[in-house]
Amino acid sequence: MEAHILVVDDETAIADLVELYLKNEGFTVHKYNDAAGALACVRRTALDLAVLDVMLPDMDGFSLCQKIREDHLFPIIMLTARVEDMDKIMGLTLGADDYITKPFNPLELVARVKTQLRRYLRYNPKETGETTEFDFRGLQISKSNHKCILFGEELSLTPLEFSILWYLCSRRGNVVPSEELFEQVWGEASIDSNNTVMSHIARLREKMHELSRKPKFIKTVWGVGYTIE
């Protein structure tokens, strides 16, 4: 099962142990010892699951879980030495999907990771290749009825503009080179296509009421392409 998993624990030995067992199962592991590094990873990487320690040096795991939940729905498993029921309730209330206390059996953690991933893939069509709609941060775009709604307002997009936005949403979290965007949307080889893509992105941003210097959705990565985070 190919999946990208975030592991955050300030105890190096535990983080290394979790990484070892998950890698043995074929998972790609993104390992961090603090919340700052973890949040940076969340912003730039398409993750499938997170394993978060509660006690971190710069932010507690519950707060980290809450920040992740502002934009992401992938499963979160909390790791902690605390055994009080209130800690468990708090973690689940803030958006965690499961809770394991230390010390733990690594094989049990792996089993729980697999269980959460199966549930997520079953109920999240984005991961099954059957996506017909994206809905995040006030933006709703549906391929089935070709509609795009932003903060309750339906946008009047041309087929090209819709296709550009749809492709960027489908690659959310990744930087899409201008050449790739042109080839995927226009269906042609990208020869001197940067200006064409740039002009369509500009019109799309205008319809989305985006500030050119501080866009909320479509961001420019200079010299590379565009991304929706």
Side-chain angles (χ1 to χ4, degrees):
M1 183 188 300
E2 294 184 5
H4 287 255
I5 299 178
L6 173 67
V7 174
V8 190
D9 198 307
D10 65 340
E11 295 184 63
T12 303
I14 292 179
D16 290 346
L17 181 66
V18 173
E19 178 185 34
L20 175 64
Y21 274 80
L22 291 176
K23 281 189 172 181
N24 284 342
E25 295 296 325
F27 298 120
T28 298
V29 178
H30 306 266
K31 182 178 61 176
Y32 294 89
N33 301 116
D34 56 32
L39 287 173
C41 177
V42 170
R43 287 192 291 268
R44 67 173 180 264
T45 309
L47 297 169
D48 298 285
L49 184 142
V51 179
L52 309 180
D53 184 27
V54 170
M55 301 299 292
L56 297 172
D58 52 347
M59 178 189 297
D60 67 81
F62 293 137
S63 298
L64 176 57
C65 173
Q66 197 170 23
K67 289 191 71 68
I68 291 174
R69 275 288 173 262
E70 291 176 1
D71 296 301
H72 301 281
L73 296 175
F74 55 74
I76 296 175
I77 298 175
M78 304 298 297
L79 281 182
T80 181
R82 301 178 181 179
V83 296
E84 293 85 353
D85 288 342
M86 284 306 299
D87 284 339
K88 181 174 183 178
I89 293 171
M90 179 183 292
L92 297 177
T93 301
L94 292 175
D97 298 276
D98 202 354
Y99 192 98
I100 299 179
T101 55
K102 300 176 182 178
F104 59 90
N105 185 331
L107 293 177
E108 179 188 357
L109 174 61
V110 170
R112 294 201 188 191
V113 165
K114 290 181 177 180
T115 297
Q116 291 298 330
L117 284 173
R118 281 195 296 269
R119 291 175 181 170
Y120 182 56
L121 297 179
R122 181 182 304 165
Y123 295 110
N124 184 356
K126 175 178 180 295
E127 303 299 332
T128 65
E130 302 174 358
T131 307
T132 59
E133 182 174 312
F134 293 99
D135 185 353
F136 60 94
R137 289 176 23 221
L139 174 66
Q140 297 172 289
I141 180 169
S142 173
K143 201 172 186 179
S144 59
N145 58 22
H146 229 256
K147 286 186 177 181
C148 179
I149 298 174
L150 182 63
F151 300 123
E153 174 190 357
E154 184 173 346
L155 305 183
S156 178
L157 303 182
T158 67
L160 274 176
E161 290 165 351
F162 183 92
S163 295
I164 290 170
L165 185 58
W166 178 265
Y167 189 75
L168 289 175
C169 286
S170 72
R171 300 280 292 149
R172 185 184 174 198
N174 298 282
V175 178
V176 178
S178 300
E179 295 80 7
E180 177 183 337
L181 190 57
F182 186 85
E183 290 174 0
Q184 293 293 327
V185 173
W186 277 263
E188 301 173 9
S190 58
I191 302 176
D192 297 328
S193 60
N194 283 346
N195 289 337
T196 300
V197 172
M198 189 182 302
S199 63
H200 279 79
I201 290 287
R203 284 197 290 271
L204 183 54
R205 282 174 171 161
E206 184 178 352
K207 291 184 178 181
M208 295 176 71
H209 313 297
E210 292 261 69
L211 297 176
S212 59
R213 294 192 177 183
K214 290 185 178 181
K216 181 178 180 182
F217 288 96
I218 304 175
K219 298 184 179 181
T220 301
V221 179
W222 295 108
V224 183
Y226 304 92
T227 183
I228 290 183
E229 297 179 344

